[in-house]
Amino acid sequence: MFNAILLNKNDDGSTDARLTQLDDAQLPADGDVTVRVDYSTINFKDGLAITGKSPVVRKWPMVPGIDGSGEVIASSHPAWITGDAFILNGWGVGETHMGCLAQQAKLKGDWLIPRPANMTARNAMAIGTAGYTAMLCAMALQEQGVTKDSGDILVTGASGGVGSVAIAILSGWGYRVVASTGKLTEKEYLASLGAVEVIDRNELSAPGKPLQKERWAGVVDSVGSHTLVNAIAQTRYGGSVTACGLAQGLDFPASVAPFILRGVKLIGIDSVMAPKARRLAAWQKLAGDLDVQKLERMAQEISLSEALAKAPDILAGKVRGRLVVNVNA
């Protein structure tokens, strides 16, 4: 038996989330690698699943947890043997396949990547999908020719998981990073990660003109809606904007003007189904380029039982940085 958060759908359509015990027989039959989970996380999507605020879960009952790291304890997959250290992000885990907010999981070996030798399971989950997505955004900006000499980089949702890691990565690479946040009390925290300027999210969150004063050489946006539209409208000629989130909304009330008059590029960033080669590249860069001291500043460790109470907080924007779940605590 092992501890897990289990989600069930009530008759009225609401979600029942509770800490319980499961056994091996309740794990998915289509997994070919059984793992011991040491650490997991609470991401925005996990918050939606646990609270039932959005139809994230497609199969019931479900163990949430789109991220996990630990060791393999049994495998019929040729690439994995007992004792291998792994990282899991995405692939519908926690939505259609039981996830990692549990002490044990049964996953598909093709979904796993080796944990870098210089990275602990805890640090891997302090990064998690949020940090891995931030690296995908940073890599995309570099690939589009945005250099540290191109101009300021805007990071929206700056005090959240994606934003915090994006600031740490980009500032570490020598970029001048401007942080947009609704928590101006977090200026000191954002500065400690590498932001040279902090602006109020209200500057971006309301409807604005299709073309605005050019400010940004590049953007990492995890907010969507009017924030993304205004960031694009303020992006400099030939600049690039990466979009990876929807904290403000799924809508995109935009104009084509920035694209056809300034040559702005909008790049969608998907972390869930990203090819394995892309994942490996991102995690190797995280292992080599992300300042561990900065990572520790943004990480808060909680227990499996505490994860239930924290799920609504992450949706309400009350969580700073990253929540690391010690599933054995």
PDB file of all heavy atoms in Angstrom, residues 40-62:
ATOM      1  N   SER A  40       7.054  15.419  -6.092  1.00  0.00           N
ATOM      2  CA  SER A  40       6.190  15.877  -7.165  1.00  0.00           C
ATOM      3  C   SER A  40       6.007  17.387  -6.988  1.00  0.00           C
ATOM      4  O   SER A  40       6.777  18.034  -6.261  1.00  0.00           O
ATOM      5  CB  SER A  40       4.845  15.131  -7.132  1.00  0.00           C
ATOM      6  OG  SER A  40       4.028  15.501  -8.217  1.00  0.00           O
ATOM      7  N   THR A  41       5.012  17.960  -7.641  1.00  0.00           N
ATOM      8  CA  THR A  41       4.764  19.399  -7.554  1.00  0.00           C
ATOM      9  C   THR A  41       3.260  19.655  -7.635  1.00  0.00           C
ATOM     10  O   THR A  41       2.479  18.760  -7.936  1.00  0.00           O
ATOM     11  CB  THR A  41       5.424  20.167  -8.725  1.00  0.00           C
ATOM     12  OG1 THR A  41       4.704  19.870  -9.926  1.00  0.00           O
ATOM     13  CG2 THR A  41       6.867  19.803  -8.911  1.00  0.00           C
ATOM     14  N   ILE A  42       2.899  20.904  -7.380  1.00  0.00           N
ATOM     15  CA  ILE A  42       1.554  21.382  -7.697  1.00  0.00           C
ATOM     16  C   ILE A  42       1.706  22.461  -8.761  1.00  0.00           C
ATOM     17  O   ILE A  42       2.259  23.536  -8.501  1.00  0.00           O
ATOM     18  CB  ILE A  42       0.837  21.969  -6.468  1.00  0.00           C
ATOM     19  CG1 ILE A  42       0.572  20.892  -5.435  1.00  0.00           C
ATOM     20  CG2 ILE A  42      -0.488  22.619  -6.885  1.00  0.00           C
ATOM     21  CD1 ILE A  42      -0.574  19.978  -5.753  1.00  0.00           C
ATOM     22  N   ASN A  43       1.264  22.171  -9.968  1.00  0.00           N
ATOM     23  CA  ASN A  43       1.237  23.149 -11.046  1.00  0.00           C
ATOM     24  C   ASN A  43      -0.178  23.700 -11.187  1.00  0.00           C
ATOM     25  O   ASN A  43      -1.120  23.225 -10.556  1.00  0.00           O
ATOM     26  CB  ASN A  43       1.657  22.485 -12.363  1.00  0.00           C
ATOM     27  CG  ASN A  43       3.126  22.119 -12.382  1.00  0.00           C
ATOM     28  OD1 ASN A  43       3.989  22.967 -12.479  1.00  0.00           O
ATOM     29  ND2 ASN A  43       3.414  20.820 -12.272  1.00  0.00           N
ATOM     30  N   PHE A  44      -0.333  24.704 -12.041  1.00  0.00           N
ATOM     31  CA  PHE A  44      -1.640  25.308 -12.284  1.00  0.00           C
ATOM     32  C   PHE A  44      -2.645  24.243 -12.727  1.00  0.00           C
ATOM     33  O   PHE A  44      -3.777  24.200 -12.250  1.00  0.00           O
ATOM     34  CB  PHE A  44      -1.513  26.407 -13.346  1.00  0.00           C
ATOM     35  CG  PHE A  44      -2.713  27.304 -13.457  1.00  0.00           C
ATOM     36  CD1 PHE A  44      -2.863  28.396 -12.601  1.00  0.00           C
ATOM     37  CD2 PHE A  44      -3.692  27.080 -14.403  1.00  0.00           C
ATOM     38  CE1 PHE A  44      -3.971  29.235 -12.695  1.00  0.00           C
ATOM     39  CE2 PHE A  44      -4.807  27.907 -14.504  1.00  0.00           C
ATOM     40  CZ  PHE A  44      -4.942  28.997 -13.644  1.00  0.00           C
ATOM     41  N   LYS A  45      -2.208  23.360 -13.624  1.00  0.00           N
ATOM     42  CA  LYS A  45      -3.112  22.309 -14.113  1.00  0.00           C
ATOM     43  C   LYS A  45      -3.506  21.352 -12.991  1.00  0.00           C
ATOM     44  O   LYS A  45      -4.652  20.889 -12.935  1.00  0.00           O
ATOM     45  CB  LYS A  45      -2.460  21.545 -15.263  1.00  0.00           C
ATOM     46  CG  LYS A  45      -3.390  20.550 -15.942  1.00  0.00           C
ATOM     47  CD  LYS A  45      -2.711  19.847 -17.100  1.00  0.00           C
ATOM     48  CE  LYS A  45      -2.565  20.741 -18.304  1.00  0.00           C
ATOM     49  NZ  LYS A  45      -2.021  20.009 -19.483  1.00  0.00           N
ATOM     50  N   ASP A  46      -2.576  21.047 -12.078  1.00  0.00           N
ATOM     51  CA  ASP A  46      -2.909  20.213 -10.930  1.00  0.00           C
ATOM     52  C   ASP A  46      -3.946  20.898 -10.048  1.00  0.00           C
ATOM     53  O   ASP A  46      -4.850  20.248  -9.513  1.00  0.00           O
ATOM     54  CB  ASP A  46      -1.658  19.907 -10.099  1.00  0.00           C
ATOM     55  CG  ASP A  46      -0.610  19.145 -10.883  1.00  0.00           C
ATOM     56  OD1 ASP A  46      -0.968  18.169 -11.559  1.00  0.00           O
ATOM     57  OD2 ASP A  46       0.569  19.531 -10.820  1.00  0.00           O
ATOM     58  N   GLY A  47      -3.808  22.219  -9.892  1.00  0.00           N
ATOM     59  CA  GLY A  47      -4.781  22.973  -9.117  1.00  0.00           C
ATOM     60  C   GLY A  47      -6.171  22.872  -9.719  1.00  0.00           C
ATOM     61  O   GLY A  47      -7.165  22.695  -9.005  1.00  0.00           O
ATOM     62  N   LEU A  48      -6.247  22.966 -11.046  1.00  0.00           N
ATOM     63  CA  LEU A  48      -7.530  22.829 -11.735  1.00  0.00           C
ATOM     64  C   LEU A  48      -8.118  21.436 -11.530  1.00  0.00           C
ATOM     65  O   LEU A  48      -9.321  21.275 -11.293  1.00  0.00           O
ATOM     66  CB  LEU A  48      -7.356  23.102 -13.229  1.00  0.00           C
ATOM     67  CG  LEU A  48      -7.029  24.537 -13.641  1.00  0.00           C
ATOM     68  CD1 LEU A  48      -6.699  24.599 -15.132  1.00  0.00           C
ATOM     69  CD2 LEU A  48      -8.183  25.487 -13.327  1.00  0.00           C
ATOM     70  N   ALA A  49      -7.268  20.416 -11.620  1.00  0.00           N
ATOM     71  CA  ALA A  49      -7.743  19.034 -11.470  1.00  0.00           C
ATOM     72  C   ALA A  49      -8.257  18.769 -10.065  1.00  0.00           C
ATOM     73  O   ALA A  49      -9.340  18.195  -9.870  1.00  0.00           O
ATOM     74  CB  ALA A  49      -6.619  18.064 -11.818  1.00  0.00           C
ATOM     75  N   ILE A  50      -7.489  19.181  -9.053  1.00  0.00           N
ATOM     76  CA  ILE A  50      -7.842  18.890  -7.662  1.00  0.00           C
ATOM     77  C   ILE A  50      -9.114  19.624  -7.243  1.00  0.00           C
ATOM     78  O   ILE A  50      -9.965  19.078  -6.537  1.00  0.00           O
ATOM     79  CB  ILE A  50      -6.660  19.226  -6.727  1.00  0.00           C
ATOM     80  CG1 ILE A  50      -5.516  18.230  -6.961  1.00  0.00           C
ATOM     81  CG2 ILE A  50      -7.092  19.201  -5.264  1.00  0.00           C
ATOM     82  CD1 ILE A  50      -4.222  18.619  -6.282  1.00  0.00           C
ATOM     83  N   THR A  51      -9.258  20.864  -7.691  1.00  0.00           N
ATOM     84  CA  THR A  51     -10.430  21.651  -7.306  1.00  0.00           C
ATOM     85  C   THR A  51     -11.633  21.394  -8.203  1.00  0.00           C
ATOM     86  O   THR A  51     -12.765  21.738  -7.839  1.00  0.00           O
ATOM     87  CB  THR A  51     -10.115  23.150  -7.359  1.00  0.00           C
ATOM     88  OG1 THR A  51      -9.748  23.517  -8.705  1.00  0.00           O
ATOM     89  CG2 THR A  51      -8.986  23.510  -6.403  1.00  0.00           C
ATOM     90  N   GLY A  52     -11.400  20.827  -9.387  1.00  0.00           N
ATOM     91  CA  GLY A  52     -12.488  20.625 -10.331  1.00  0.00           C
ATOM     92  C   GLY A  52     -12.942  21.901 -11.006  1.00  0.00           C
ATOM     93  O   GLY A  52     -14.035  21.961 -11.585  1.00  0.00           O
ATOM     94  N   LYS A  53     -12.113  22.940 -10.975  1.00  0.00           N
ATOM     95  CA  LYS A  53     -12.479  24.236 -11.557  1.00  0.00           C
ATOM     96  C   LYS A  53     -12.502  24.209 -13.081  1.00  0.00           C
ATOM     97  O   LYS A  53     -13.047  25.095 -13.722  1.00  0.00           O
ATOM     98  CB  LYS A  53     -11.491  25.314 -11.088  1.00  0.00           C
ATOM     99  CG  LYS A  53     -11.523  25.593  -9.593  1.00  0.00           C
ATOM    100  CD  LYS A  53     -12.823  26.215  -9.148  1.00  0.00           C
ATOM    101  CE  LYS A  53     -12.789  26.612  -7.679  1.00  0.00           C
ATOM    102  NZ  LYS A  53     -14.086  27.148  -7.217  1.00  0.00           N
ATOM    103  N   SER A  54     -11.879  23.201 -13.662  1.00  0.00           N
ATOM    104  CA  SER A  54     -11.849  23.063 -15.117  1.00  0.00           C
ATOM    105  C   SER A  54     -11.817  21.569 -15.430  1.00  0.00           C
ATOM    106  O   SER A  54     -11.276  20.786 -14.638  1.00  0.00           O
ATOM    107  CB  SER A  54     -10.610  23.755 -15.693  1.00  0.00           C
ATOM    108  OG  SER A  54     -10.588  23.704 -17.096  1.00  0.00           O
ATOM    109  N   PRO A  55     -12.396  21.158 -16.551  1.00  0.00           N
ATOM    110  CA  PRO A  55     -12.463  19.715 -16.867  1.00  0.00           C
ATOM    111  C   PRO A  55     -11.131  19.137 -17.331  1.00  0.00           C
ATOM    112  O   PRO A  55     -10.975  18.681 -18.459  1.00  0.00           O
ATOM    113  CB  PRO A  55     -13.518  19.657 -17.964  1.00  0.00           C
ATOM    114  CG  PRO A  55     -13.426  20.975 -18.651  1.00  0.00           C
ATOM    115  CD  PRO A  55     -13.106  21.966 -17.567  1.00  0.00           C
ATOM    116  N   VAL A  56     -10.141  19.182 -16.446  1.00  0.00           N
ATOM    117  CA  VAL A  56      -8.807  18.670 -16.760  1.00  0.00           C
ATOM    118  C   VAL A  56      -8.805  17.143 -16.779  1.00  0.00           C
ATOM    119  O   VAL A  56      -8.226  16.514 -17.671  1.00  0.00           O
ATOM    120  CB  VAL A  56      -7.779  19.205 -15.737  1.00  0.00           C
ATOM    121  CG1 VAL A  56      -6.458  18.450 -15.854  1.00  0.00           C
ATOM    122  CG2 VAL A  56      -7.559  20.694 -15.935  1.00  0.00           C
ATOM    123  N   VAL A  57      -9.458  16.541 -15.789  1.00  0.00           N
ATOM    124  CA  VAL A  57      -9.452  15.079 -15.657  1.00  0.00           C
ATOM    125  C   VAL A  57     -10.400  14.477 -16.684  1.00  0.00           C
ATOM    126  O   VAL A  57     -11.565  14.844 -16.781  1.00  0.00           O
ATOM    127  CB  VAL A  57      -9.853  14.661 -14.231  1.00  0.00           C
ATOM    128  CG1 VAL A  57      -9.910  13.139 -14.130  1.00  0.00           C
ATOM    129  CG2 VAL A  57      -8.863  15.229 -13.211  1.00  0.00           C
ATOM    130  N   ARG A  58      -9.895  13.515 -17.446  1.00  0.00           N
ATOM    131  CA  ARG A  58     -10.678  12.870 -18.493  1.00  0.00           C
ATOM    132  C   ARG A  58     -11.044  11.426 -18.141  1.00  0.00           C
ATOM    133  O   ARG A  58     -11.832  10.802 -18.824  1.00  0.00           O
ATOM    134  CB  ARG A  58      -9.877  12.854 -19.811  1.00  0.00           C
ATOM    135  CG  ARG A  58      -9.401  14.208 -20.291  1.00  0.00           C
ATOM    136  CD  ARG A  58     -10.522  14.990 -20.954  1.00  0.00           C
ATOM    137  NE  ARG A  58     -10.002  16.055 -21.800  1.00  0.00           N
ATOM    138  CZ  ARG A  58      -9.708  17.280 -21.385  1.00  0.00           C
ATOM    139  NH1 ARG A  58      -9.854  17.588 -20.110  1.00  0.00           N
ATOM    140  NH2 ARG A  58      -9.271  18.209 -22.228  1.00  0.00           N
ATOM    141  N   LYS A  59     -10.435  10.902 -17.082  1.00  0.00           N
ATOM    142  CA  LYS A  59     -10.657   9.498 -16.708  1.00  0.00           C
ATOM    143  C   LYS A  59     -10.710   9.408 -15.192  1.00  0.00           C
ATOM    144  O   LYS A  59      -9.864   9.984 -14.508  1.00  0.00           O
ATOM    145  CB  LYS A  59      -9.523   8.629 -17.277  1.00  0.00           C
ATOM    146  CG  LYS A  59      -9.712   7.139 -17.108  1.00  0.00           C
ATOM    147  CD  LYS A  59      -8.563   6.386 -17.798  1.00  0.00           C
ATOM    148  CE  LYS A  59      -8.722   4.886 -17.643  1.00  0.00           C
ATOM    149  NZ  LYS A  59      -7.600   4.161 -18.291  1.00  0.00           N
ATOM    150  N   TRP A  60     -11.700   8.694 -14.678  1.00  0.00           N
ATOM    151  CA  TRP A  60     -11.901   8.593 -13.232  1.00  0.00           C
ATOM    152  C   TRP A  60     -11.825   7.135 -12.774  1.00  0.00           C
ATOM    153  O   TRP A  60     -12.218   6.253 -13.534  1.00  0.00           O
ATOM    154  CB  TRP A  60     -13.270   9.173 -12.868  1.00  0.00           C
ATOM    155  CG  TRP A  60     -13.467  10.572 -13.344  1.00  0.00           C
ATOM    156  CD1 TRP A  60     -13.975  10.957 -14.548  1.00  0.00           C
ATOM    157  CD2 TRP A  60     -13.165  11.775 -12.631  1.00  0.00           C
ATOM    158  NE1 TRP A  60     -14.014  12.332 -14.638  1.00  0.00           N
ATOM    159  CE2 TRP A  60     -13.526  12.866 -13.481  1.00  0.00           C
ATOM    160  CE3 TRP A  60     -12.637  12.049 -11.372  1.00  0.00           C
ATOM    161  CZ2 TRP A  60     -13.381  14.185 -13.102  1.00  0.00           C
ATOM    162  CZ3 TRP A  60     -12.489  13.374 -10.990  1.00  0.00           C
ATOM    163  CH2 TRP A  60     -12.852  14.426 -11.838  1.00  0.00           C
ATOM    164  N   PRO A  61     -11.396   6.883 -11.532  1.00  0.00           N
ATOM    165  CA  PRO A  61     -10.737   7.838 -10.631  1.00  0.00           C
ATOM    166  C   PRO A  61      -9.350   8.204 -11.147  1.00  0.00           C
ATOM    167  O   PRO A  61      -8.811   7.519 -12.036  1.00  0.00           O
ATOM    168  CB  PRO A  61     -10.662   7.071  -9.313  1.00  0.00           C
ATOM    169  CG  PRO A  61     -10.596   5.630  -9.728  1.00  0.00           C
ATOM    170  CD  PRO A  61     -11.455   5.523 -10.966  1.00  0.00           C
ATOM    171  N   MET A  62      -8.777   9.282 -10.592  1.00  0.00           N
ATOM    172  CA  MET A  62      -7.506   9.786 -11.092  1.00  0.00           C
ATOM    173  C   MET A  62      -6.608  10.217  -9.940  1.00  0.00           C
ATOM    174  O   MET A  62      -7.065  10.834  -8.972  1.00  0.00           O
ATOM    175  CB  MET A  62      -7.766  10.991 -12.015  1.00  0.00           C
ATOM    176  CG  MET A  62      -6.509  11.638 -12.593  1.00  0.00           C
ATOM    177  SD  MET A  62      -5.443  10.506 -13.518  1.00  0.00           S
ATOM    178  CE  MET A  62      -6.564   9.950 -14.805  1.00  0.00           C
TER     179      MET A  62
END
